[in-house]
Amino acid sequence: MPIDFDCAVCKNRIRVPDGNEGKRTKCPKCHAIQPVPSEADELKLKDSLEEPAPPKSSPLDDVFQPMSPPNQNVSRNPYAEESSQAHDNPYAAPQTPGNTAAANSARMEAMSKLQTPILTCLGLLALGIVFNIISLITMVIQVNGQGAQGANTVVALATYAITFGFAVGLQGFGCFGLLQARDLKNYGLAWAGFIIAALPCSCCFVVSLPISIWGMMLLADNSIQRQFNG
């Protein structure tokens, strides 16, 4: 036997198949989600509707009656489950900040401004690393080819290894800082990457110097600085 009951919101008559007691259904008119009452609930509702209305109070009683709390929320639905029904409404619009789109737009704009100097400095630092490695290998071959032996050879090889090794390590750290700047992750490492690109660690610094200065000028912009995570 189908179950008939009135919608608690719009009072529209709702009919659902038998066996759905306690489940939730949607009103076809106002689309409100509400539970399906059982037969016992239907009888209680009918008894409450048949009770006589309380006597009308006098005007003096209306004046001196206690006031209800201003934030009291009285539900018209007799089958509502406490006050969490509004939060369980699957048709409610998601509560998202209104400035999310603006924040994403500002972040994308900052990344696009930094993209050109970052990629240029990364390429020049990579070329500098390759140049330093080739120079180190060339120096070692020249020292060994001269046939020199003893302490002078060891000192020369150690000097070349420390000099070019330090330059390669510094340039590698600069590449890491520029990668952090590309993803707007670390503001301090971003500065370090552009500063290292401006250092004379290889012959490529002549080209990377103005590009790195351009990148540092962009980093000094407050609108770009705010987009970094740390």
Side-chain angles (χ1 to χ4, degrees):
M1 180 178 179
I3 302 174
D4 294 334
F5 64 98
D6 293 335
C7 174
V9 178
C10 65
K11 303 303 180 182
N12 181 54
R13 195 65 175 173
I14 302 176
R15 172 172 291 184
V16 295
D18 191 13
N20 290 314
E21 295 85 349
K23 298 181 179 180
R24 290 181 176 271
T25 186
K26 181 172 66 174
C27 177
K29 185 176 180 181
C30 67
H31 305 287
I33 302 298
Q34 52 194 302
V36 178
S38 60
E39 295 182 1
D41 294 333
E42 286 279 348
L43 294 176
K44 291 179 180 179
L45 180 61
K46 291 181 179 179
D47 293 339
S48 62
L49 294 176
E50 293 176 358
E51 291 180 356
K56 186 177 180 181
S57 58
S58 62
L60 292 178
D61 295 335
D62 294 337
V63 173
F64 295 102
Q65 65 180 356
M67 296 179 64
S68 59
N71 295 330
Q72 185 177 2
N73 185 16
V74 181
S75 175
R76 296 172 54 190
N77 186 0
Y79 308 105
E81 299 177 358
E82 298 178 352
S83 61
S84 62
Q85 187 176 5
H87 300 285
D88 298 335
N89 186 3
Y91 301 97
Q95 300 296 327
T96 56
N99 58 348
T100 301
N104 293 336
S105 177
R107 186 175 179 84
M108 294 300 297
E109 183 180 358
M111 295 178 68
S112 63
K113 288 181 179 179
L114 290 171
Q115 192 77 6
T116 301
I118 287 174
L119 293 180
T120 305
C121 290
L122 274 174
L124 294 173
L125 284 177
L127 289 176
I129 291 174
V130 174
F131 176 80
N132 286 328
I133 293 175
I134 294 175
S135 299
L136 176 60
I137 296 174
T138 303
M139 293 295 181
V140 172
I141 294 175
Q142 288 180 356
V143 171
N144 292 330
Q146 292 175 0
Q149 297 179 356
N152 293 332
T153 303
V154 175
V155 171
L157 293 177
T159 302
Y160 292 146
I162 293 174
T163 302
F164 289 101
F166 177 78
V168 170
L170 191 62
Q171 289 172 322
F173 182 75
C175 291
F176 176 73
L178 291 175
L179 290 176
Q180 295 292 308
R182 182 193 61 179
D183 299 331
L184 301 179
K185 288 184 178 180
N186 193 294
Y187 188 67
L189 290 178
W191 271 99
F194 282 117
I195 291 174
I196 293 174
L199 297 178
C201 297
S202 67
C203 60
C204 299
F205 90 97
V206 178
V207 182
S208 64
L209 178 61
I211 306 299
S212 60
I213 293 176
W214 176 24
M216 286 185 281
M217 291 176 62
L218 292 175
L219 289 179
D221 189 354
N222 291 331
S223 62
I224 295 179
Q225 179 180 354
R226 287 193 295 266
Q227 304 307 318
F228 278 84
N229 298 332

